[in-house]
Amino acid sequence: MKQKFNLGKVILTALSVLIALIFVTPVIWSLAVSFQREGKQIKNIWDWFKPPYTIENYPSIIFHSDVPTWMLNSLFISIISTFLVVLLSALAAYAIAKIDMKGKGLLYVYFLLGLMVPGEATIVPLFITANKLNLIDTYPGLIFPTIAGSMNLIIMITFFRGIPGELLESVRIDGGGELVIFTRIVLPLSKVVLVTVAIFAFVGSWNNYLWPLLCSMSSEKFTLPIGIPTFAGTYTVDYVRPMTANMVASLPAIILFILFEKQIVTGITMTGVKG
């Protein structure tokens, strides 16, 4: 039996392929440029893709630049920040969603109002506070301001409210405390939302630009979003080394996506459904 021709499906597929090409083309171009030799004469865009090629740019960037240091800084800050965000958000969300206490409704509204405040509006008092606490140009100073976030908390509260209260109450009747309920019941049932929040927290910390720009004063504390523009600014004529640095800097994010592709897609899909 012949399948009915679906014009809408064809248009949607073609549009999806076109959007994918738009996003992939700069990556392909950057990869091609990173394998070129410095000083190569470029007359048109196609010259970037023509041989001869070389891989000597990558050892030069890895062993004779600050890019690996910036990458390690970004990884360290992002991992610690993600762990603290997930832990503290889960604890706070459980208290608001599942523990009877006065004023938790107002507290929930307070965090909702926090979504309306742009991060740029708090950057000046944040810098003054961090400076008085001697946290400027330190790892704690780069990590602590990224921990608090209303969005991650709201996502967890919404999910925790969907866990049956009867299940938690039965554990309380059997003598289980709140810590037992949280660690043995709530967390195992919330793996999807934990992964979702972890993804958002890691990506947000990895791509954070404004606060590391203000907080990190020495190149040893630079993260990739701060270091790469500084590195690229020293090579205004040639594109090869800056593009090689960009490709090296993108490797951790690419590897993480390949390893956790299923969890990332599931987490983002769940967030879209739950709202």
Side-chain angles (χ1 to χ4, degrees), residues 86 90 93 151-160 163 186-187 189-200 263 266-267 270-271 274:
V86 173
M151 176 59 72
N152 296 323
L153 183 60
I154 297 302
I155 292 174
M156 284 197 174
I157 291 174
T158 303
F159 188 91
F160 287 173
I163 299 177
V186 175
L187 290 185
L189 293 175
S190 308
K191 292 180 180 178
V192 175
V193 74
L194 294 177
V195 171
T196 301
V197 171
I199 292 169
F200 289 161
Q263 290 85 347
T266 302
M270 186 279 300
T271 305
K274 293 287 183 181

Side-chain angles (χ1 to χ4, degrees), residues 75-273:
L75 280 174
F76 175 75
I77 293 170
S78 298
I79 291 173
I80 298 300
S81 175
T82 300
F83 172 77
L84 293 176
V85 166
V86 173
L87 176 63
L88 298 179
S89 297
L91 288 169
Y94 173 73
I96 295 175
K98 290 301 180 182
I99 296 179
D100 292 331
M101 60 180 182
K102 294 182 179 180
K104 69 176 185 178
L106 293 176
L107 191 60
Y108 180 70
V109 173
Y110 172 78
F111 286 114
L112 282 177
L113 293 176
L115 297 176
M116 302 174 61
V117 180
E120 292 78 5
T122 63
I123 203 70
V124 173
L126 179 60
F127 181 85
I128 294 174
T129 303
N131 188 38
K132 289 183 177 181
L133 295 175
N134 296 321
L135 294 178
I136 298 299
D137 202 30
T138 65
Y139 288 115
L142 290 167
I143 294 172
F144 290 158
T146 65
I147 296 175
S150 295
M151 176 59 72
N152 296 323
L153 183 60
I154 297 302
I155 292 174
M156 284 197 174
I157 291 174
T158 303
F159 188 91
F160 287 173
R161 283 177 174 174
I163 299 177
E166 295 80 5
L167 176 62
L168 307 186
E169 192 61 33
S170 63
V171 179
R172 293 189 181 99
I173 294 174
D174 291 337
E178 299 298 338
L179 184 60
V180 173
I181 296 173
F182 177 74
T183 56
R184 298 188 181 182
I185 305 297
V186 175
L187 290 185
L189 293 175
S190 308
K191 292 180 180 178
V192 175
V193 74
L194 294 177
V195 171
T196 301
V197 171
I199 292 169
F200 289 161
F202 185 88
V203 173
S205 179
W206 182 270
N207 293 329
N208 193 11
Y209 178 79
L210 182 57
W211 177 245
L213 177 65
L214 298 175
C215 184
S216 54
M217 300 298 179
S218 59
S219 60
E220 291 79 10
K221 296 295 190 301
F222 281 180
T223 58
L224 283 174
I226 307 304
I228 292 300
T230 304
F231 180 87
T234 61
Y235 296 90
T236 56
V237 177
D238 203 341
Y239 289 94
V240 175
R241 285 179 61 83
M243 287 302 174
T244 307
N246 286 328
M247 294 308 300
V248 172
S250 64
L251 285 178
I254 294 174
I255 293 173
L256 286 175
F257 179 80
I258 294 175
L259 293 176
F260 300 101
E261 178 183 2
K262 182 178 179 181
Q263 290 85 347
I264 291 173
V265 174
T266 302
I268 294 175
T269 303
M270 186 279 300
T271 305
V273 172

Side-chain angles (χ1 to χ4, degrees), residues 64-79:
H64 301 97
S65 74
D66 291 327
V67 173
T69 300
W70 301 335
M71 184 184 300
L72 291 176
N73 287 341
S74 290
L75 280 174
F76 175 75
I77 293 170
S78 298
I79 291 173

